[in-house]
Amino acid sequence: MNITREKAEKLVKKYIKKKNWFLHSIAVEAIMRNLAKRLGENEDLWGITGLLHDIDFEKTVKTPERHGLEAEKILKGMVPDNVIQAIKAHNPLTKIKPENPMDKALIASDAVSGLIIASALVMPSKKLKEVRLETLIRKFKDKSFARGVDRRRILLCEELGLSRDEFLKLALESLQKISSRLGL
C-alpha cells in the first residue's frame, strides 16, 4: 500500500470539509478495522478503505451516481486496486457489484455506522456508552427509525459469516472505543 493512515486522514480532510461527514469516515474505519481483525484480514488495508470510502462525497453530492468513481480519480496510484473496487462497489448507483469480503464489509460497515450513531443521538446523554446491543436490535427492526439506513446492506455481514447480532455488537464496540474522537 502506498498510503499511510496519517496521509489518508490528511487526504480525507482535504476533500471532506463537513465535520459530520469526516466523523462518519472515522467511524467506518473503526468498524472495518475491527471486522478485519475478527475475520483474520489485513486491518490496515480494511481500515484505510473505510477511512477513504467517502473521500469524494462532497464533490459528488449533486451527482450521486459519480460517488466512488470520482474517488478512483483521486486515489489512483495511492492505494491498491481492491481498495478502489470496494469504494466504487459501496455505492449501488455505480452498478459495480461487491465481489469479495472487503467490498461487502465496507457496505455493511457504512450502513451500520448510521444506525449506531442515530441510536446514540436519541439517548438522553447523546453518548455511545448508553447504547446497548438490545437497543440496536430493536432499532434495526423498527423501519421508521433511521429510515435512511438500508437494513439489507447491514445484513451483508451474514455473507462474511457473522450473524446480524454479532455484527451489531462488533460495530457498536468499535464505535464505543473511539467515542471521544466522535464526540459521542
Side-chain angles (χ1 to χ4, degrees):
M1 181 160 23
N2 303 342
I3 192 167
T4 64
R5 198 232 165 258
E6 292 70 31
K7 284 183 182 172
E9 184 173 324
K10 282 183 183 172
L11 198 57
V12 171
K13 285 180 175 176
K14 176 181 174 184
Y15 286 93
I16 297 182
K17 301 301 181 194
K18 292 193 176 175
K19 184 180 177 188
N20 286 347
W21 285 343
F22 173 74
L23 292 176
H24 167 71
S25 295
I26 298 292
V28 175
E29 173 194 15
I31 297 167
M32 287 288 286
R33 280 186 185 280
N34 213 5
L35 194 50
K37 184 175 184 178
R38 170 77 179 268
L39 299 174
E41 298 287 349
N42 183 324
E43 293 174 48
D44 289 331
L45 182 70
W46 282 40
I48 283 178
T49 302
L51 180 59
L52 294 171
H53 84 283
D54 274 348
I55 194 164
D56 66 352
F57 192 79
E58 289 184 11
K59 191 174 185 175
T60 60
V61 162
K62 293 187 171 131
T63 54
E65 70 283 357
R66 300 285 313 151
H67 177 45
L69 303 176
E70 292 299 320
E72 179 176 27
K73 292 177 184 176
I74 295 166
L75 299 170
K76 197 75 174 159
M78 285 191 255
V79 297
D81 290 343
N82 60 340
V83 171
I84 292 172
Q85 159 65 25
I87 291 170
K88 292 191 304 186
H90 99 277
N91 177 7
L93 296 177
T94 64
K95 308 251 190 277
I96 294 168
K97 302 285 182 220
E99 298 174 350
N100 58 57
M102 188 166 72
D103 296 357
K104 294 171 184 176
L106 180 59
I107 293 167
S109 299
D110 186 32
V112 79
S113 70
L115 181 71
I116 295 169
I117 300 297
S119 296
L121 292 175
V122 298
M123 293 292 155
S125 68
K126 298 192 183 328
K127 298 289 181 194
L128 283 161
K129 68 181 178 192
E130 258 191 281
V131 180
R132 302 281 174 260
L133 177 58
E134 299 72 32
T135 306
L136 285 181
I137 293 168
R138 250 189 345 271
K139 299 293 188 191
F140 180 92
K141 292 176 183 175
D142 180 0
K143 303 295 188 267
S144 68
F145 180 78
R147 285 191 183 115
V149 174
D150 185 341
R151 273 64 172 172
R152 291 169 303 177
R153 292 169 66 81
I154 294 172
L155 291 176
L156 277 177
C157 67
E158 294 172 348
E159 293 185 32
L160 302 171
L162 277 78
S163 71
R164 177 200 67 193
D165 294 357
E166 287 175 308
F167 182 58
L168 290 175
K169 184 176 190 286
L170 178 143
L172 176 60
E173 289 170 354
S174 301
L175 297 192
Q176 286 174 332
K177 285 179 189 169
I178 63 161
S179 62
S180 61
R181 182 124 198 239
L182 297 172
L184 295 170

